[in-house]
Amino acid sequence: MIDLDGVSAQALSDTIGAIYDCALDPHQWPDTCRKIADLCESTGGGICVHDMRHVQNDQLFVFGYQPEFLEKLGSQYAQSPMAAADIVSDIGHVSALSMDGPELFESRFYREVLKPFGLLDMIWFPALRTGGRMASMHASRRSEKAPHYQQLDISLFKLLSPHVCRALTISDALDIRALRSEMLEKTLDVLIAGVFLTARDGRVVYMNAAAERQIRTGNSIRIVNNRIFPADPAARAALAKAIDEASRDDIEKGAGEHSLAIPGMDGAAGYVATLLPVDRGERRGIVAPFAASVAVFTQDPVQSPLLPGEAFARLYRLTGGELRVLLALAQGLSGKDAADMLGISEPTVRSHLQHIFSKTNTPRQADLLRLLQNSTPPVRGSTADVYQSLEAACR
């Protein structure tokens, strides 16, 4: 079992179990967010969902904040260090505002959003990108005794972030509000994602309609001896090992990554598989009719719409600092105003800008902003919208 100073192994195990309970019952997220925040001595926290298509920022399951702060944060989110960092960060990557050092306390975001409400630091990680939306989990501190997050807190968040990301991915795929056992089979059968429920020994005890369609194609997955049988030998071994780990009683033994690729054969498209233990906690009652131990979700790796600036930053390998400067200038701010907003000096802005010119091979700012505008990716419909339509049709 993993142990951190001041955090018991049992507390970690209970928290990870609570996170997975949220995958099938999102109404449990408020209590789980508090559990996570308590482990790192935070006074506030929750989940933020930023809708890039509708320029909307929603704080879900939050606690410890004044309504005025949440309103201010929503209106200033696009200019926050969190927004730019999330664009260039991988899902699950943990950051803290204090990592920016003195720059944070000179920034407009700190002066206008955090300081008036007594907040001294925030820690967070991007947990989900789908359909033009980004979800992130965060916690915050206002205590003068421990104003900033330390390496212990960052390590704790790094330990928990893969589990939160996996639980949110599953909830988003299912588009669950409150799932009931008697409706489970009907709900699963309208999903685009394939769902396999397996016993502890890997035997398949249930497949939804999408999973049956995936099996019929035979290019990536088959059923052999009543078990999921990927065509790729490496994926076959990895899936068997993941199902075994996910089904163990000791959830810490299954704390590794439970998402894996299942390649197709002969150039055929494959799937991404995500595993969820379902025989413990609240999940046990939901899937009781199937006597299942593990749920395996298999989805086509459809590329989600990129967030504004994300494609550009990844294409030209911009750093977080460079992207923040670029996005500030794209709003029409002058170099001086951008420096004031970000809490850096004008020479630093000019230095970042010169690096961006070099990386993008643009000679001046007007050409750079034109290149950024032309690089904005097309928006595609959200898979969640499809699921909502299917749910409505089945009512």
Side-chain angles (χ1 to χ4, degrees):
M1 297 284 282
I2 300 172
D3 197 7
L4 298 172
D5 291 341
V7 180
S8 70
Q10 187 61 51
L12 284 174
S13 180
D14 291 346
T15 302
I16 292 172
I19 289 169
Y20 284 122
D21 285 342
C22 295
L24 294 184
D25 186 1
H27 289 114
Q28 296 194 43
W29 274 117
D31 288 341
T32 301
C33 287
R34 286 181 178 272
K35 284 179 181 287
I36 294 174
D38 288 345
L39 287 179
C40 58
E41 299 181 354
S42 299
T43 54
I47 296 176
C48 164
V49 177
H50 191 65
D51 190 324
M52 305 303 296
R53 292 178 301 166
H54 301 105
V55 196
Q56 180 178 342
N57 191 72
D58 294 321
Q59 295 288 337
L60 305 179
F61 319 126
V62 296
F63 67 94
Y65 299 118
Q66 300 176 39
E68 295 80 7
F69 166 74
L70 296 177
E71 182 178 352
K72 189 75 171 179
L73 178 63
S75 65
Q76 299 290 326
Y77 177 81
Q79 290 77 41
S80 72
M82 284 131 20
D86 284 351
I87 289 175
V88 297
S89 298
D90 293 327
I91 294 297
H93 178 80
V94 177
S95 301
L97 289 179
S98 53
M99 288 180 178
D100 285 344
E103 289 183 6
L104 167 67
F105 306 105
E106 299 298 327
S107 68
R108 186 183 303 171
F109 179 76
Y110 178 78
R111 296 196 309 267
E112 297 183 359
V113 180
L114 299 183
K115 188 176 180 180
F117 297 95
L119 294 175
L120 301 173
D121 202 359
M122 297 186 77
I123 187 172
W124 79 96
F125 55 87
L128 176 71
R129 287 192 188 105
T130 178
R133 294 174 301 142
M134 172 182 284
S136 60
M137 171 166 280
H138 64 274
S140 63
R141 280 182 174 174
R142 63 174 71 246
S143 171
E144 294 287 351
K145 293 183 179 179
H148 302 137
Y149 289 104
Q150 305 299 318
Q151 188 57 51
L152 174 65
D153 308 301
I154 294 171
S155 298
L156 179 62
F157 253 54
K158 285 181 177 179
L159 174 67
L160 297 177
S161 68
H163 304 290
V164 173
C165 294
R166 197 171 302 123
L168 285 175
T169 297
I170 291 168
S171 289
D172 193 71
L174 293 174
D175 194 26
I176 295 173
R177 294 299 177 266
L179 195 60
R180 294 292 178 265
S181 295
E182 63 269 17
M183 295 298 293
L184 179 60
E185 188 167 352
K186 180 179 178 181
T187 301
L188 294 180
D189 273 340
V190 301
L191 297 178
I192 295 175
V195 181
F196 299 83
L197 300 182
T198 75
R200 283 177 173 267
D201 61 1
R203 289 179 298 105
V204 175
V205 297
Y206 171 81
M207 293 186 292
N208 73 340
E212 292 177 352
R213 288 193 296 269
Q214 292 172 359
I215 292 299
R216 283 197 296 269
T217 66
N219 293 321
S220 301
I221 306 174
R222 291 181 291 152
I223 296 294
V224 176
N225 294 328
N226 204 26
R227 288 170 172 80
I228 307 171
F229 193 87
D232 180 80
R236 192 182 313 149
L239 180 62
K241 180 180 179 182
I243 290 176
D244 177 64
E245 290 180 345
S247 65
R248 296 179 191 177
D249 288 333
D250 184 351
I251 195 158
E252 275 296 304
K253 292 180 181 178
E257 183 59 50
H258 281 320
S259 292
L260 52 94
I262 301 181
M265 301 301 289
D266 301 322
Y271 301 103
V272 173
T274 304
L275 283 73
L276 171 70
V278 292
D279 65 347
R280 54 180 67 90
E282 295 292 331
R283 289 157 279 153
R284 185 193 302 271
I286 292 175
V287 300
F290 299 99
S293 177
V294 179
V296 181
F297 300 84
T298 51
Q299 296 175 274
D300 288 325
V302 178
Q303 185 176 7
S304 298
L306 298 177
L307 302 175
E310 181 180 358
F312 192 88
R314 293 187 182 278
L315 178 62
Y316 294 106
R317 299 183 180 180
L318 303 186
T319 66
E322 291 165 355
L323 179 60
R324 281 196 289 260
V325 168
L326 176 58
L327 294 179
L329 296 175
Q331 298 175 46
L333 297 180
S334 66
K336 183 178 183 303
D337 289 337
D340 178 62
M341 184 181 82
L342 299 174
I344 58 180
S345 66
E346 286 188 72
T348 300
V349 169
R350 289 195 292 270
S351 176
H352 281 318
L353 193 54
Q354 289 301 319
H355 290 155
I356 300 171
F357 286 155
S358 176
K359 290 180 179 180
T360 59
N361 195 29
T362 51
R364 56 182 183 170
Q365 186 170 320
D367 297 319
L368 173 62
L369 296 180
R370 188 179 304 112
L371 180 62
L372 173 63
Q373 182 179 11
N374 292 339
S375 299
T376 301
V379 176
R380 300 174 57 183
S382 165
T383 54
D385 295 338
V386 177
Y387 297 144
Q388 288 172 358
S389 299
L390 289 170
E391 275 192 342
C394 291
R395 291 192 183 112

